[in-house]
Amino acid sequence: MNLAATGLGTAVASGTAAALVSLVTPAKARTLVSGIGTMLAGAAGVVAGAAALAGQTAHASLPWLLPLSGFSLDLDRMGGLFTAVTGGVAIAAGLYGIGYARNGLRARTVQAVQPLFVVAMLFVPAAASVGAFLVCWELMAVTSLVLLLAEHRLRPAVASAGRWYAVMTHLGFVTVLIGLLWFAALAGGDSFAALRAASPPPAAASAIFLLVLAGFGSKAGIVPLHAWLPRAHPEAPSHVSALMSAAMVNLGAYGVLRVGFDLLGGGPRWWWVVVLALGAGSAGYGILQAVMASDLKRLLGYSTTENLGLVFAGIGAAGLLASSGARVAAGLALAAALLHTVGHAAFKTLLFLAAGSVVHATGTGDLDALGGLRTRMPWTTGLFGLGALAASALPPGTAFVSEWLLLQALVHGLPAAGVVTAVAMPLTMAAVALTAGLAVATFVKAFGIGFLAKPRGAAAERAHESPASMLVGMGLAAVACVVPALFPTLVLPAIGAAAGFGDPAARDLLTVRLNGVAGTVSPLLITGGLLGGALFVVAAVRMLASNRARREARLWDCGGGPATARAEYTATSFAEPLQRVFDNVVRPETDVDVGHYDEARYLVRQVAYRREVPDRIERVLYRPVLAAIATWGRTGRRLATGSVHRYLGYGFSAVVFALILLAVTR
């Protein structure tokens, strides 16, 4: 048994053992057991994934485990990358959860399910048959739903978020189920080897691809199937949000890669134009909603839609360029998508854990009520700032490296043949550039409004630093952010190998060449230059200030007295200029409610002002469906009168209708 197989076996053993022991131990010990089991499963996943990336393969066949098809596993390089990423997120989240757990989070069910959720996610990329894949996928969905509902007794909004997530994730499962079972029926077997060898008719292959794309896109939170993300993350425990947003959503991208490239062999060009358009649209819409959001975890949820949109844009560009014959640029685009997956997992883990630290200390994630955390929570502030920098597409951020690589691929793909490619590449570049700019504004708002200046509420004034286990968990995620940001060449060879492409640096593809002008970047040199410049400015200011006599003076305040916390910029006011620019897209809703005294209608008692930026796609697409379902439910209640005679009439009518249908379609 090699290292990859040993890692997978250790993951399932440690996760299952932790789940069983958690059921019989007291609350405090239960949290510790579950956290350690989650960490061990994650560490084993990292070992298995790293071994697979190095070239080892893990294969297992258990024909007795599932009826009809059995249970087959086969971990290759592509699966190894997603396994390693999932394991890394689980290590940080498991350690963090030991100190974070309180109230409903210490329940037996919640603590037992947590390591099982990690094991299910580790086995999805290793599945080698349709049956094994669907079982692991459904186990992942069910366990994540249980964790999302952990605090349902404390807040009614948790139950609502759970319903949204359950409906969206299981509708997605149904489309994946139909697509893969149809594919297996055409292939004559459900093993991935049989699917690769099959040649389904083009129309059937396209229908299968669209079905699985809908299901995997729903799991990844791609627009317009993103509605569960901004609802689930504010209500889920923060380390669960990290597992879902930094690890689980990546498996949606994995599913598209596995089925589209591997099992279906690439397909026609229009498949990837659809993926590219979905990705670019999701990236732009997600970050636009994020910059408007004032709830910290809701903001991060929309940021996940943005980042998975960029990943899908890279996958779509890779498929489009491959179908156009530009194999080198296609490989580079795929490597960029996978590198962004790795970077997003690192900084989104850190950001969600830091946001959870804020909620743990203040009880709120509302940026308009925070502020002043810099002095009360210095470690959390520093770590959130590092995560915000990593998520911003500016050097030395982690996202900068992968987005730079994606732009390289798009630029290298411009000469590829075809009008579609010539139109799609510049439009995608514009979308990536717009997304990068809005991402900077989003995280400047989150960090500046949430952590700096004066506290805007009593909760922020009473804030305290988090326990050591939470800080160490965030620290591990911070280390994972720094490595791909400063030393991308350490991870690029493995990512290029997982993409089936090789090392982009060794192939001299990290240089942009446009009509004789060439350009390269070194994140380490840029970081060194920025740090050197900052130190120089600070030293110069201090030196100049030391040579002058200091005199304290009051700032000009227009005669209004010293500024209070109420006079500070809030998250809403920070986003207001951008809101005006994109007013036709986001269409904010305002409402002014004026109350009068009963004794004198001309005297105003109170004025209530409400401004909301709704999710327009959700309003347009989901509200009509929900209204139709509600109408159907009301109609059903009217039909259920309790009359036995009426029920017999329904049965008789149904039988007659079925007989007529059979006679007509015979």
Side-chain angles (χ1 to χ4, degrees), residues 627-643 646-647 650:
I629 293 173
T631 304
W632 186 14
R634 286 193 295 271
T635 305
R637 279 204 298 272
R638 284 198 293 269
L639 293 175
T641 59
S643 168
R646 181 168 290 193
Y647 294 157
Y650 294 156

Side-chain angles (χ1 to χ4, degrees), residues 35 38-44 46 86-96 118 243 473 476:
T38 302
M39 291 172 59
L40 289 176
V46 170
T86 303
V89 176
I91 293 173
L95 179 58
Y96 179 94
V118 172
L243 286 168
L476 293 176

Side-chain angles (χ1 to χ4, degrees), residues 645-658:
H645 298 86
R646 181 168 290 193
Y647 294 157
L648 289 174
Y650 294 156
F652 177 75
S653 301
V655 171
V656 170
F657 176 76

Side-chain angles (χ1 to χ4, degrees), residues 322-373:
S323 63
S324 302
R327 295 283 174 184
V328 174
L332 188 59
L334 191 53
L338 294 179
L339 181 61
H340 197 77
T341 303
V342 174
H344 173 250
F347 66 71
K348 195 49 65 68
T349 302
L350 176 56
L351 288 170
F352 265 116
L353 297 186
S357 179
V358 171
V359 175
H360 186 271
T362 64
T364 181
D366 185 2
L367 290 170
D368 288 342
L370 294 174
L373 302 180

Side-chain angles (χ1 to χ4, degrees), residues 519-537:
T520 59
V521 294
S522 169
L524 188 58
L525 287 178
I526 292 175
T527 305
L530 289 173
L531 288 176
L535 290 174
F536 174 77
V537 170

Side-chain angles (χ1 to χ4, degrees), residues 1 25 51 65 101 307 456 489 531 651 656:
M1 183 178 289
T25 50
L65 193 58
N307 284 285
R456 297 179 202 82
T489 51
L531 288 176
V656 170

